[in-house]
Amino acid sequence: MATTAELFEEPFVADEYIERLAWRTPGGGSRGGEAFDPKRLLEEFVNHIQELQVMDERIQRKVEKLEQQCQKEAKEFAKKVQELQKSNQVAFQHFQELDEHISYVATKVCHLGDQLEGVNTPRQRAVEAQKLMKYFNEFLDGELKSDVFTNSEKIKEAADIIQKLHLIAQELPFDRFSEVKSKIASKYHDLECQLIQEFTSAQRRGEISRMREVAAVLLHFKGYSHCVDVYIKQCQEGAFLRNDVFEDAAILCQRVNKQVGEVFSNPETVLAKLIQNIFEVKLQSYVKDQLEEHRKSDAEQYLKNLYDLYTRTTNLSSKLMEFNLGTDKQTFLSKLIKSIFISYLENYIEVEIGYLKSRSAMILQRYYDSKNHQKRSIGTGGIQDLKERIRQRTNLPLGPSIDTHGETFLSQEVVVNLLQETKQAFERCHRLSDPSDLPKNAFRIFSMLVEFLCTEHIDYALETGLAGIPSSDSKNANLYFLDVVHQANTIFHLFDKQFNDHLMPLISSSPKLSECLQKKKDIIEQMEVKLDMGIDRTLNCMIGQMKHILAAEQKKTDFKPEDENNVLIQYTNACVKVCGYVRKQVEKIRNSMDGKNVDTVLMELGVRFHRLIYEHLQQYSYSCMGGMLAICDVAEYRKCAKDFKIALVLQLFDTLHALCNLLVVAPDNLKQVCSGEQLANLDKNILHSFVQLRVDYRSARLARHFS
C-alpha cells in the first residue's frame, strides 16, 4: 500500500500514473534488456486494483469519521455561542445599571458642588471685601503699611487692588471722601506709570513674557492705550534707516506681526494702530517732501513721483493685507491711502492734461525748429471751409503750390515721443484716477493725443503735402505725397495699436467707449479723405508727366516713316521713357501703401495709363510699317501693365493691342479680325475710329471691306 501511495503525485494524471506502475513492474517494459511479460503485467494491474479498492474503503471510513467529528464540534460551538450571547446580555444589563448609578452620583456631586460654591462665593467675596476695606482704611489713615504697597516685587497684586479701589472710590460722595479719593487716584496714577515704565524696560530688554504680564495688568487701566503707544513708538526706533521707507515699513510690520500676538490680548488692534501710525506720520511726511518740492516747478517730475509713490503705497497695502487687522482691513487700508494722497489726487487730471498739452506742443515745436520750418496756419471756418468743400468736389488745387523740397513733415521720432508720453499718461490715469472718473479722464487724455498727433502733426502734414502737389501740367514735377502716405500709414498703425492696447481697457465697460470709437472713426475718415484727394492729384500729376514725355518724344514720323523699308527700331523712344517712368511709379506706390490700398491705387493708375495711351494713339496716322511699330509699342506698354498685377489693367491693354492689329491687317481680313474674341464685344465706333487711322483708309477697297 505504501508503494501504491508513492505512485500518486500532484497534480494527478491517469496516463502518467499507469506509466509509472508499468515501469516499476519487472517485465512491464524493455528496461535493462528484460523481455516484455504481459501476464506478469496483468497480474500486477489486478493486484494493484485490489490495493486501490482497499485504500478507497479505508479513506472512505476515515472521511465518514471526520465528518461525524466535524458535526459534533459544530454543535458544541453553536451551544457555546448561545451561552456567550446570554452572558453578554447579562453584562450589558449590569453596565446600564452601573451607568444609571454613576449618573445619579454625578448629579448629587454637582448639586453638592453648587451648594458649596453658593456658600463659598459669598465667603470669598466677604474676605475680599474685608481686604479692600483694610486697604481703604490705610488710605483713610494716610499711611500705607501693607507689604503689597511697599514691596516693589508685588506691583502686580498692588495694581489689582488699586484698580478695584479706584472703581469703588468713584462711587463715593466727593464732599466726604475727597481726600481719600485723591490719594487713591494718585496711587492709581503712580502704579500706572510704574507699569508702563516696566513694560518699556522689558521691551528694550526683549523680555516677551514680562511684556505680556505687564500688558495683561494694564489692560484694565485707563493707561492701556498709552502702553500701546509706547510699544508702537519703540518698535519704530531704528526701523527707518534706509532710503526705502516702504520696504522698511513692510519689514517692520512683518516683525511686529510675529511678536504682537505674544504680548497683547488684542493683537489685531495693536498692529492696525501701528500701521495707522506709519501711514499718518512716516509715509505722509515722506510723500509730502517728495511731491511739494516739484508740485509747482516741475510738472513732469511731480507726476512721475506721484505715480511712483502711489504705486509703492498700494503695493505696501497689498503686502499688509496678509496680516490680521480686524474685520474690514481692505476699507481700513484704503482710507489710510486716501488720507495721504487725497489733496494730490483731487486735481491730478488737470495737472496731467496741462503737462501733456505743454509737453506735446514742445515736442512738435522742437521738430519744426529742427527743420527750420515756420508752421503755417491752417484756417478754419468761412472761406477755408468753402475752399475745402470745393476742393473735395472738384479736386482742384486752390491757392499757390508750396515747394516742400521733399520734406513730408512727418516724423516717426515725434510720433513715438507723443505716443510714449500718452502711454505714460494712460498708465498714471489708470492708477491715480477714481474708478468713477477713469473713463472720463482717459477720454481727455485721448483727446489730447488726437489734437497733437492727428490734427497738429498728421493733418498739418497732409495739408502741407496737398499744397505741395504740383498741377497736372507741370513739367518734371517731384511727387513727394506718396512719401507722406507711406509715413501716415505707419503712424496710423501705431495710433491704432495704442488705442487698443492702452485706451480700450480703461473705457471698455463705460459709455465713453462709443464716444472714443466715434472720435477715432471721424478723425480717420477725415484724414482718409485728404489722403484719397492727394493720391488722386498725384495720379493726375503722373499722367501729366507721361503726357509731357509723349509730347516731347513722340514724332509723327514714328508711325508714318518716310522709308518704309528702313525701320530699324523695335519700339519708339517715347514708349521706352514712358514705360520706365511708369515702372518707377508702380514700385513707389507698392512701397508707400499696404493691403488692398495698393491694388486700388494701381488699378486707378492703370486705367488712367490705358486711357492716356489710347487717346495718344488716336492722334496719329499709321502706315503699314508704322502700325507694326505701334503694335510693338503697345506690346511694351502691355508688358509694363503686367507689373501692376491687376487683371483689369492687363485686359485693357490686351484689348488695345488687339485694336492696334486693325492698323496692319489686310483689308480682306478686317471683318474677320473685328469679329475675333477680343474685339467682338467692342462698340463698332471704336473699331471704326482705329481703322480710320490707317493712311489707306480713304481707298475704296478698305472702305468697302469695313462698311
Side-chain angles (χ1 to χ4, degrees):
M1 292 301 291
T3 303
T4 302
E6 290 176 358
L7 294 174
F8 288 98
E9 292 182 0
E10 292 295 336
F12 179 77
V13 179
D15 292 343
E16 293 182 1
Y17 177 78
I18 298 298
E19 287 294 332
R20 286 195 298 274
L21 179 62
W23 183 77
R24 290 189 176 209
T25 302
S30 58
R31 185 187 57 177
E34 296 179 358
F36 177 68
D37 189 351
K39 291 183 179 180
R40 191 167 182 177
L41 183 62
L42 175 62
E43 182 181 351
E44 182 66 23
F45 279 174
V46 170
N47 291 335
H48 196 73
I49 289 171
Q50 291 175 354
E51 290 178 2
L52 289 175
Q53 288 174 345
V54 172
M55 182 185 291
D56 179 62
E57 291 174 358
R58 289 179 61 189
I59 291 173
Q60 188 64 35
R61 285 195 299 273
K62 190 174 182 179
V63 168
E64 290 175 355
K65 184 178 179 181
L66 290 173
E67 286 178 349
Q68 291 174 0
Q69 185 178 352
C70 182
Q71 291 174 358
K72 181 180 178 181
E73 290 179 356
K75 290 178 180 178
E76 291 177 354
F77 180 75
K79 183 178 179 181
K80 190 174 181 179
V81 169
Q82 289 177 353
E83 291 175 353
L84 289 174
Q85 286 179 341
K86 290 179 181 179
S87 299
N88 184 52
Q89 289 178 353
V90 172
F92 183 72
Q93 289 175 356
H94 289 167
F95 176 77
Q96 283 185 325
E97 292 173 0
L98 180 61
D99 185 55
E100 291 173 357
H101 187 65
I102 290 172
S103 299
Y104 174 77
V105 172
T107 303
K108 288 291 185 180
V109 170
C110 290
H111 178 66
L112 181 60
D114 291 340
Q115 287 181 333
L116 290 174
E117 185 179 1
V119 173
N120 189 52
T121 301
R123 179 179 174 278
Q124 286 181 339
R125 289 176 180 173
V127 171
E128 186 176 349
Q130 184 183 14
K131 288 181 180 180
L132 290 175
M133 290 171 65
K134 174 187 173 184
Y135 297 135
F136 188 80
N137 284 333
E138 291 184 14
F139 280 98
L140 279 173
D141 297 339
E143 185 178 359
L144 301 178
K145 300 178 182 179
S146 299
D147 183 55
V148 73
F149 293 124
T150 57
N151 190 347
S152 60
E153 294 182 0
K154 295 185 177 182
I155 190 172
K156 183 178 179 181
E157 292 83 350
D160 181 57
I161 293 169
I162 202 66
Q163 196 267 338
K164 292 176 180 177
L165 289 175
H166 183 69
L167 293 175
I168 294 171
Q170 291 184 6
E171 301 295 328
L172 299 175
F174 183 78
D175 53 348
R176 293 178 57 191
F177 298 96
S178 60
E179 184 177 354
V180 71
K181 289 178 72 171
S182 175
K183 292 178 181 179
I184 292 174
S186 177
K187 189 63 176 178
Y188 179 91
H189 179 70
D190 291 342
L191 279 173
E192 191 176 61
C193 291
Q194 290 180 39
L195 287 168
I196 292 174
Q197 184 61 40
E198 178 64 22
F199 181 89
T200 304
S201 301
Q203 184 177 1
R204 287 175 179 167
R205 294 192 302 269
E207 297 177 359
I208 301 298
S209 59
R210 184 57 178 164
M211 291 169 62
R212 180 170 58 251
E213 290 176 8
V214 176
V217 174
L218 277 169
L219 181 62
H220 304 290
F221 279 77
K222 294 180 179 179
Y224 178 71
S225 60
H226 185 56
C227 172
V228 174
D229 294 338
V230 168
Y231 175 77
I232 290 173
K233 181 180 179 181
Q234 289 201 166
C235 283
Q236 298 181 62
E237 290 180 358
F240 297 94
L241 299 178
R242 297 182 297 177
N243 292 330
D244 192 346
V245 65
F246 297 95
E247 187 63 26
D248 287 340
I251 294 172
L252 172 62
C253 292
Q254 188 75 37
R255 174 168 58 83
V256 172
N257 181 59
K258 296 177 181 178
Q259 184 186 83
V260 71
E262 301 176 2
V263 177
F264 297 97
S265 59
N266 53 341
E268 67 280 355
T269 305
V270 177
L271 185 58
K273 195 169 184 179
L274 169 65
I275 292 172
Q276 183 177 358
N277 183 270
I278 292 173
F279 271 75
E280 294 179 350
V281 179
K282 291 290 182 183
L283 294 188
Q284 188 157 12
S285 174
Y286 181 78
V287 168
K288 184 177 180 180
D289 292 342
Q290 294 291 315
L291 294 180
E292 292 298 332
E293 180 182 357
H294 304 287
R295 189 168 191 177
K296 296 181 179 179
S297 59
D298 188 348
E300 179 181 9
Q301 192 61 46
Y302 169 77
L303 289 170
K304 286 181 179 179
N305 287 353
L306 178 59
Y307 175 77
D308 178 63
L309 292 169
Y310 190 84
T311 301
R312 294 170 70 187
T313 305
T314 53
N315 290 341
L316 174 62
S317 174
S318 299
K319 293 179 182 178
L320 299 179
M321 282 291 291
E322 66 185 54
F323 303 140
N324 181 16
L325 304 176
T327 54
D328 195 0
K329 51 187 174 182
Q330 178 69 52
T331 304
F332 170 70
L333 292 171
S334 297
K335 287 182 178 179
L336 291 179
I337 295 174
K338 187 176 181 181
S339 67
I340 295 176
F341 290 97
I342 186 169
S343 62
Y344 305 107
L345 298 181
E346 285 177 342
N347 66 335
Y348 149 71
I349 192 61
E350 302 303 329
V351 178
E352 185 73 77
I353 295 300
Y355 164 71
L356 196 59
K357 189 172 184 178
S358 61
R359 178 67 177 170
S360 300
M362 185 191 73
I363 291 172
L364 290 178
Q365 190 58 48
R366 185 186 299 166
Y367 168 71
Y368 294 123
D369 289 345
S370 70
K371 299 294 182 181
N372 293 321
H373 175 73
Q374 182 64 40
K375 194 174 180 184
R376 297 187 309 115
S377 175
I378 301 175
T380 57
I383 297 175
Q384 183 64 26
D385 289 345
L386 178 61
K387 284 183 177 181
E388 185 65 26
R389 287 197 296 272
I390 294 173
R391 186 166 65 181
Q392 290 182 12
R393 295 190 180 188
T394 63
N395 201 24
L396 295 174
L398 301 178
S401 176
I402 299 174
D403 187 2
T404 61
H405 302 287
E407 181 59 59
T408 62
F409 293 107
L410 285 173
S411 167
Q412 284 202 23
E413 181 181 355
V414 168
V415 172
V416 169
N417 288 337
L418 290 174
L419 291 176
Q420 181 64 22
E421 292 292 341
T422 312
K423 174 187 173 183
Q424 293 174 357
F426 280 134
E427 290 174 350
R428 289 192 291 263
C429 177
H430 188 199
R431 175 70 70 178
L432 302 175
S433 295
D434 186 90
S436 60
D437 296 331
L438 178 58
K440 177 178 65 177
N441 292 346
F443 178 75
R444 292 184 65 182
I445 294 174
F446 174 64
S447 298
M448 286 289 101
L449 178 64
V450 170
E451 177 183 348
F452 286 95
L453 175 63
C454 298
T455 304
E456 294 295 329
H457 191 55
I458 304 177
D459 190 64
Y460 176 76
L462 293 179
E463 287 287 347
T464 305
L466 283 171
I469 299 175
S471 61
S472 60
D473 56 353
S474 299
K475 294 182 180 180
N476 300 320
N478 291 320
L479 304 177
Y480 298 113
F481 192 78
L482 289 180
D483 295 331
V484 177
V485 173
H486 173 62
Q487 289 184 287
N489 188 41
T490 302
I491 294 171
F492 277 142
H493 286 307
L494 295 175
F495 172 74
D496 191 57
K497 186 176 188 316
Q498 181 162 97
F499 183 91
N500 294 325
D501 292 349
H502 297 98
L503 178 61
M504 284 294 288
L506 307 183
I507 61 172
S508 57
S509 57
S510 75
K512 285 292 180 181
L513 173 61
S514 58
E515 195 172 344
C516 287
L517 290 172
Q518 186 61 45
K519 191 176 185 71
K520 175 188 170 188
K521 180 183 177 184
D522 292 342
I523 195 70
I524 290 179
E525 287 179 351
Q526 175 186 341
M527 293 189 182
E528 283 180 346
V529 168
K530 294 181 180 180
L531 286 170
D532 291 344
M533 188 187 311
I535 291 171
D536 186 65
R537 287 171 56 186
T538 300
L539 294 181
N540 286 341
C541 286
M542 290 178 183
I543 298 301
Q545 293 296 313
M546 295 181 210
K547 285 183 180 179
H548 285 301
I549 294 172
L550 291 173
E553 300 294 334
Q554 198 82 73
K555 300 175 182 177
K556 290 186 177 181
T557 56
D558 287 343
F559 302 118
K560 196 164 61 173
E562 296 177 357
D563 186 356
E564 290 280 330
N565 298 320
N566 193 23
V567 178
L568 302 177
I569 59 175
Q570 295 181 345
Y571 29 74
T572 65
N573 190 45
C575 173
V576 174
K577 290 190 175 183
V578 168
C579 288
Y581 178 80
V582 170
R583 287 190 174 95
K584 288 181 181 179
Q585 304 311 311
V586 169
E587 183 180 1
K588 194 167 187 178
I589 289 172
R590 290 193 185 280
N591 293 335
S592 301
M593 301 178 192
D594 57 7
K596 295 181 180 180
N597 293 331
V598 177
D599 293 342
T600 302
V601 174
L602 286 179
M603 180 184 292
E604 183 63 27
L605 177 61
V607 170
R608 296 186 189 189
F609 175 39
H610 168 266
R611 186 184 305 120
L612 172 66
I613 300 302
Y614 177 87
E615 293 174 353
H616 175 70
L617 293 175
Q618 293 277 334
Q619 299 174 11
Y620 299 92
S621 296
Y622 300 88
S623 64
C624 181
M625 201 65 197
M628 292 297 295
L629 195 57
I631 290 174
C632 291
D633 276 4
V634 173
E636 191 64 20
Y637 291 138
R638 182 173 62 175
K639 189 186 298 183
C640 181
K642 288 182 180 179
D643 294 343
F644 286 69
K645 297 180 182 180
I646 304 295
L648 174 62
V649 175
L650 187 59
Q651 181 183 349
L652 290 173
F653 277 94
D654 286 342
T655 303
L656 183 59
H657 188 269
L659 283 171
C660 288
N661 287 331
L662 297 177
L663 301 175
V664 298
V665 70
D668 294 340
N669 297 330
L670 271 175
K671 285 189 177 181
Q672 180 182 355
V673 172
C674 290
S675 60
E677 181 181 353
Q678 290 184 317
L679 302 179
N681 296 326
L682 290 181
D683 187 87
K684 190 173 182 181
N685 293 328
I686 295 175
L687 301 176
H688 194 193
S689 66
F690 261 81
V691 174
Q692 286 179 329
L693 300 177
R694 295 170 59 132
V695 294
D696 59 352
Y697 175 73
R698 299 298 177 183
S699 67
R701 183 183 174 195
L702 183 61
R704 184 176 66 254
H705 278 287
F706 194 74
S707 60

